[in-house]
Amino acid sequence: MSEEEQPRWSDVLKRRLANSNKDARSEEEIKAEETELFTKYYTEWKGGGGNNKPFSNIPRFYYKLPAEDEVLLQKLREESRAVFLQRKSRELLDNEELQSLWFLLDKHQVPPLSGEEAMISYESYLQVRDKAGPKCKNFFTARVYAKLLNNDPYGRISIMHFFNYVMRKVWLHQTRIGLSLYDVAGQGYLRESDLENYILELIPTLPQLDGLEKSFYSFYVCTAVRKFFFFLDPLRTGKIKIQDILACSFLDDLLELRDEELSKESQESNWFSAPSALRVYGQYLNLDKDHNGMLSKEELSRYGTATLTTVFLDRVFQECLTYDGEMDYKTYLDFVLALENRKEPAALQYIFKLLDIEEQGYLNVFSLNYFFRAIQEQIKLHGQEPVSFQDVKDEIFDMVKPKDPYKITLQDLVNSCQGDTVTSILIDLNGFWTYENREVLVANDNDSIDLNNR
């Protein structure tokens, strides 16, 4: 029967109601039948006259993760993920294929040179794509070519720039696959223990870490992992997206340790280098005067130039994780990362939480005065002239320029690009002194430069 020939559900209901007086059934039975008919015809009407497939035929798109006691299903899932990652790995260019690609590009360069760089035109670019093989095809797109254009009068791109782009993409895919092997949950993120395992197995492949004692490995891994989690997990969820790890520069810094000729300056500025890790751990040991493996408030007060205010240190021990009132190495690392990177939003978030004593989400005059009083007390102890809080408060608000003239939010601090200066003024006498004497310091620097140039 066609759709036009089928009776409308409303007509059927009307006929049923018209004959209801002749029906000897009870009122409940009639209502039940009416409800059944209404449901049937309404469902058909909403489904487009019965032409659509029933919902049961929709392909399944969600698969529940196997429970902990479903060992067989878990093993099956792990094996299938391993096979998938191996297949993806085989799709990447290996060293020989990259070398062949370089020779092809060099063979198809188009004169003249741009400075010392070999160039390639779009026509030659397409010729290389056809000869390079299926694995390379995704790199040779018009979009990629357009992105690499850089004011060449002949409309060409640099062969070196393109090859570096390919190398970078291959490296990213290789690294993503490598990190995914440690993703136990298979959900695209790494837990702290997953990242610890990754870095621990990475250590033997990094020549710059050859001198590390094996007894120090656990401390090194803890030091390295904390930087990832401090900056990439601001909500402290205990996991980081693999995509975020690849997008930041930390992995580049870590893998820079493969370079056997890394300069001393680069090692000192790299958080993941052996000298840097030993420096941080050495500072921790030096602060731990009673050698119990933990830091008390008094021991932490000697951190850096020993000029952090007691009020700020009180807040650190109130808000941060401690054990019987003492701080462990992991908590200390967060503290160090925050104070050594005060320009970074994650570090400002850490310090802002400590400054926000009323937990209102902003700093007001009371909050600023609460912390600056401790600075004033230290100034008096050093026999220096007292500084007016009103002047400092006005300078802070002038620097930050918050949306609300009476409240400074974390976002205001970040947007002002003055967050490091503001926090230093409030928590560290040395930081305040540096700010207060900034003009004298700049003048002295200029005088030193002039003397050196003579």
Side-chain angles (χ1 to χ4, degrees):
M1 183 182 290
S2 66
E3 187 176 347
E4 292 77 8
E5 294 171 341
Q6 290 180 357
R8 293 177 61 195
W9 60 269
S10 56
D11 295 337
V12 174
L13 282 176
K14 285 178 182 179
R15 285 200 298 274
R16 292 282 181 179
L17 289 171
N19 295 330
S20 61
N21 294 331
K22 304 173 185 178
D23 202 328
R25 292 173 299 168
S26 68
E27 189 176 344
E28 288 78 8
E29 290 174 334
I30 293 171
K31 283 186 177 180
E33 186 181 2
E34 288 174 1
T35 302
E36 183 182 350
L37 284 169
F38 176 80
T39 303
K40 174 187 174 185
Y41 288 113
Y42 181 75
T43 303
E44 290 179 359
W45 173 65
K46 288 292 286 182
N51 292 331
N52 292 344
K53 293 181 179 179
F55 295 140
S56 60
N57 291 337
I58 295 177
R60 185 176 180 183
F61 58 88
Y62 172 72
Y63 293 86
K64 187 178 179 181
L65 291 175
E68 291 184 4
D69 57 341
E70 295 176 320
V71 180
L72 189 59
L73 288 177
Q74 284 187 343
K75 287 292 183 184
L76 177 62
R77 189 166 182 272
E78 288 174 13
E79 287 299 320
S80 61
R81 284 187 68 248
V83 170
F84 170 76
L85 293 172
Q86 287 173 4
R87 178 165 58 83
K88 284 294 181 184
S89 182
R90 288 195 296 270
E91 291 174 3
L92 300 177
L93 295 170
D94 58 29
N95 289 335
E96 289 185 5
E97 289 166 327
L98 284 168
Q99 193 173 21
S100 298
L101 175 61
W102 172 255
F103 288 143
L104 270 175
L105 289 166
D106 188 55
K107 186 178 178 182
H108 287 77
Q109 63 175 282
V110 175
L113 295 176
S114 177
E116 296 182 357
E117 289 194 48
M119 311 293 285
I120 189 169
S121 67
Y122 189 63
E123 291 76 12
S124 299
Y125 175 81
L126 295 178
Q127 291 173 13
V128 174
R129 179 196 65 183
D130 296 336
K131 296 177 182 178
K135 283 188 180 181
C136 296
K137 192 172 182 181
N138 290 335
F139 299 117
F140 287 86
T141 65
R143 183 187 295 273
V144 171
Y145 190 90
K147 283 182 178 179
L148 295 175
L149 279 172
N150 190 24
N151 300 324
D152 180 71
Y154 304 99
R156 304 166 303 169
I157 63 172
S158 163
I159 287 176
M160 181 59 74
H161 289 174
F162 174 71
F163 189 71
N164 286 339
Y165 164 80
V166 174
M167 291 275 286
R168 178 70 178 172
K169 293 289 281 188
V170 170
W171 178 83
L172 279 172
H173 287 303
Q174 285 175 340
T175 308
R176 179 160 196 155
I177 291 169
L179 288 169
S180 297
L181 291 171
Y182 293 84
D183 176 12
V184 176
Q187 296 293 291
Y189 60 78
L190 296 184
R191 300 167 304 175
E192 201 163 337
S193 57
D194 300 332
L195 192 55
E196 285 173 352
N197 291 333
Y198 172 76
I199 292 178
L200 183 61
E201 294 186 22
L202 193 65
I203 290 176
T205 70
L206 304 174
Q208 286 295 333
L209 301 181
D210 284 347
L212 281 184
E213 296 287 339
K214 288 197 174 181
S215 58
F216 186 67
Y217 278 13
S218 60
F219 295 102
Y220 174 82
V221 169
C222 180
T223 306
V225 168
R226 280 325 299 162
K227 180 158 188 175
F228 283 94
F229 274 85
F230 182 83
F231 289 102
L232 302 182
D233 183 29
L235 299 179
R236 303 298 179 254
T237 61
K239 56 189 180 183
I240 308 175
K241 289 182 180 178
I242 291 176
Q243 188 174 349
D244 291 343
I245 295 175
L246 293 171
C248 75
S249 62
F250 301 156
L251 209 55
D252 289 333
D253 294 340
L254 180 60
L255 297 178
E256 185 182 42
L257 303 180
R258 289 175 174 169
D259 184 0
E260 296 182 10
E261 305 297 326
L262 197 62
S263 67
K264 185 178 179 181
E265 292 77 13
S266 297
Q267 289 185 51
E268 289 175 353
S269 63
N270 189 331
W271 174 267
F272 303 101
S273 71
S276 176
L278 290 167
R279 171 184 65 82
V280 175
Y281 186 64
Q283 288 173 346
Y284 182 79
L285 293 180
N286 288 335
L287 292 172
D288 182 19
K289 294 300 182 184
D290 59 7
H291 307 294
N292 69 341
M294 310 279 277
L295 297 183
S296 65
K297 194 186 305 179
E298 183 183 350
E299 289 171 332
L300 187 63
S301 68
R302 292 190 288 272
Y303 171 80
T305 54
T307 51
L308 292 172
T309 66
T310 54
V311 171
F312 175 68
L313 291 171
D314 287 342
R315 288 291 295 155
V316 171
F317 279 81
Q318 286 170 10
E319 291 293 329
C320 298
L321 179 64
T322 57
Y323 303 88
D324 294 327
E326 295 200 314
M327 176 185 290
D328 70 349
Y329 185 54
K330 189 180 290 187
T331 306
Y332 172 76
L333 287 171
D334 285 347
F335 177 81
V336 172
L337 286 165
L339 294 188
E340 288 189 358
N341 300 275
R342 296 183 209 184
K343 289 181 179 290
E344 298 297 326
L348 287 176
Q349 180 181 8
Y350 176 98
I351 300 174
F352 185 88
K353 184 180 178 182
L354 302 177
L355 298 177
D356 183 15
I357 53 176
E358 297 178 298
E359 298 183 358
Q360 300 179 109
Y362 60 83
L363 306 180
N364 52 22
V365 175
F366 173 79
S367 307
L368 301 181
N369 189 31
Y370 179 82
F371 285 94
F372 191 71
R373 277 205 309 259
I375 295 289
Q376 289 175 317
E377 289 172 6
Q378 286 193 353
I379 291 174
K380 290 177 184 177
L381 289 174
H382 286 79
Q384 297 177 351
E385 288 291 324
V387 179
S388 166
F389 168 70
Q390 288 298 324
D391 293 341
V392 173
K393 181 260 296 181
D394 291 342
E395 288 187 40
I396 288 175
F397 274 89
D398 286 343
M399 280 191 286
V400 177
K401 296 180 175 59
K403 288 184 179 180
D404 186 322
Y406 301 102
K407 300 174 182 176
I408 297 175
T409 65
L410 173 60
Q411 196 58 51
D412 290 330
L413 274 183
V414 173
N415 293 343
S416 71
C417 299
Q418 298 291 332
D420 58 322
T421 303
V422 171
T423 53
S424 296
I425 289 172
L426 295 173
I427 68 175
D428 184 358
L429 176 62
N430 191 49
F432 171 75
W433 184 89
T434 302
Y435 172 75
E436 191 71 3
N437 296 276
R438 59 195 180 281
E439 294 177 359
V440 176
L441 294 173
V442 169
N444 289 340
D445 287 343
N446 290 337
D447 290 343
S448 298
I449 293 171
D450 290 340
L451 288 171
N452 290 333
N453 289 336
R454 287 177 184 174

